[in-house]
Amino acid sequence: MKNSSVGEAVSISAKKLRNAGIDDFSREARLLAGHVFDLGPAELISGNLINPALEKIVELDRLIERRIAGEPAYRIVGRKEIYGCQFRISKDTLEPRPDTEALIEGVLADQQKSGNKPLKILDIGTGTGIIIISLLDQMPNATGIATDISAEAIMVAKENAVLNKVEARISFVVTDWSGGIEQKFDVIVSNPPYIKTDVIPMLANEVKDYDPWLALDGGKDGLNAYRAIFTQCLSKLANDGKLYLEIGHDQAESIVLLAEQYGWIPVQTRKDLNGISRVVVFRQQYLME
């Protein structure tokens, strides 16, 4: 790519991505260009007459080639914005996806109905920290604990807590699900691994080649993590508390049947932007009797 204006660089990049079969080629070209030139969307548009340094043009060209080779754009830039918060991504964490916003919105909607009372939140398998950090950002009177079996993922989540200025209200624990956590919580949230083991090799390359399998693999039937959560969390939920679980696109019925075996009752199902059941909310059975 020859030396050019920023606008020309973006246009050429988008054309390369389009020719390579990248669906959202225009947005991804702007994302990668913004990262290289350190410009926001509005600045990219107004910066058409800027003549950037040749090394920046070469760097953008290199990132475009990485994207064409299959590396997801957000992993290339190493960060992603979800629900108004910025999250750093690493090889040890899932890339945050819009599906999870359905869970975040569910907790916030219930909190508003309850009069915005102070909450204690437990986030199981936090990854980047997307759920609990987004909630703490929206609820200044909430506090929480986030767990993950991966120490490397916890390190990323800690950085994201600082990045979003909620580090004073959150603690992090490296543990298997919620093992060793003895407190009671008003809200327990989780987006656990729920992909069947034999399905993972059939996922899109951008997922199976870049997301950590530890955060994808839900076991033979995709329900291993839910069994652990249903078992461990019976002693961790406050009397009027709720358990919010993100689920796979075809798992709503099986998750509800499984939950009932462990003493949980579904009280709400929330759908994602595509109208697919993506979150199931539970209360403990004995509290409903």
Side-chain angles (χ1 to χ4, degrees):
M1 189 183 292
K2 296 181 179 180
N3 198 7
S4 62
S5 73
V6 170
E8 290 169 338
V10 173
S11 178
I12 292 171
S13 297
K15 184 177 181 180
K16 286 187 173 185
L17 294 179
R18 182 189 63 194
N19 292 342
I22 305 298
D23 290 335
D24 205 356
F25 57 88
S26 181
R27 181 188 60 81
E28 293 197 13
R30 293 194 301 271
L31 173 68
L32 295 173
H35 175 67
V36 169
F37 299 120
D38 194 23
L39 296 174
E43 294 173 305
L44 281 174
I45 295 173
S46 64
N48 285 339
L49 299 179
I50 296 174
N51 194 28
L54 178 59
E55 57 265 28
K56 291 293 185 180
I57 297 293
V58 172
E59 181 183 355
L60 175 59
D61 202 26
R62 179 176 58 84
L63 298 191
I64 293 296
E65 293 304 317
R66 285 171 59 184
R67 179 67 188 99
I68 290 172
E71 187 174 355
Y74 284 107
R75 288 203 176 274
I76 293 173
V77 303
R79 56 180 169 77
K80 188 172 185 177
E81 181 176 337
I82 293 286
Y83 220 84
C85 294
Q86 288 286 339
F87 293 92
R88 193 175 80 77
I89 307 168
S90 83
K91 63 180 180 60
D92 302 297
T93 66
L94 288 176
E95 176 186 319
R97 293 181 171 90
D99 293 340
T100 303
E101 291 189 356
L103 192 158
I104 297 168
E105 290 168 353
V107 177
L108 292 175
D110 286 348
Q111 170 69 348
Q112 290 176 353
K113 293 176 185 176
S114 68
N116 294 310
K117 67 177 183 178
L119 293 182
K120 289 182 63 177
I121 304 169
L122 173 62
D123 182 10
I124 301 172
T126 194
T128 60
I130 171 179
I131 299 175
I132 193 166
I133 290 173
S134 297
L135 291 174
L136 294 183
D137 178 68
Q138 294 290 316
M139 299 186 297
N141 56 352
T143 59
I145 294 177
T147 75
D148 205 290
I149 196 172
S150 167
E152 292 78 14
I154 286 291
M155 289 177 62
V156 174
K158 285 182 176 180
E159 292 179 14
N160 285 330
V162 173
L163 180 64
N164 292 285
K165 298 180 175 59
V166 299
E167 71 275 14
R169 292 184 283 128
I170 185 171
S171 301
F172 296 91
V173 180
V174 178
T175 187
D176 189 4
W177 309 122
S178 60
I181 306 296
E182 303 298 336
Q183 302 177 38
K184 297 274 189 181
F185 297 89
D186 304 294
V187 169
I188 299 178
V189 295
S190 185
N191 175 22
Y194 53 68
I195 308 297
K196 295 179 181 178
T197 302
D198 60 2
V199 171
I200 296 177
M202 295 182 281
L203 296 175
N205 291 342
E206 294 178 11
V207 177
K208 68 182 179 65
D209 292 343
Y210 292 94
D211 279 335
W213 279 41
L214 182 66
L216 296 172
D217 191 353
K220 186 176 180 180
D221 62 358
L223 303 177
N224 282 358
Y226 299 102
R227 292 188 181 92
I229 291 170
F230 288 140
T231 300
Q232 293 182 11
C233 289
L234 282 171
S235 62
K236 296 179 172 65
L237 200 64
N239 286 344
D240 59 347
K242 292 181 181 178
L243 170 65
Y244 298 74
L245 296 177
E246 183 170 337
I247 62 173
H249 67 93
D250 58 353
Q251 289 181 317
E253 183 177 354
S254 58
I255 291 293
V256 168
L257 290 174
L258 179 66
E260 290 174 345
Q261 297 176 26
Y262 288 86
W264 296 89
I265 298 295
V267 295
Q268 184 184 13
T269 300
R270 296 187 67 89
K271 296 181 179 181
D272 62 18
L273 295 175
N274 296 314
I276 297 171
S277 294
R278 186 60 65 176
V279 177
V280 183
V281 185
F282 296 93
R283 297 284 300 273
Q284 292 178 335
Q285 184 173 10
Y286 77 89
L287 296 175
M288 305 292 290
E289 297 174 345

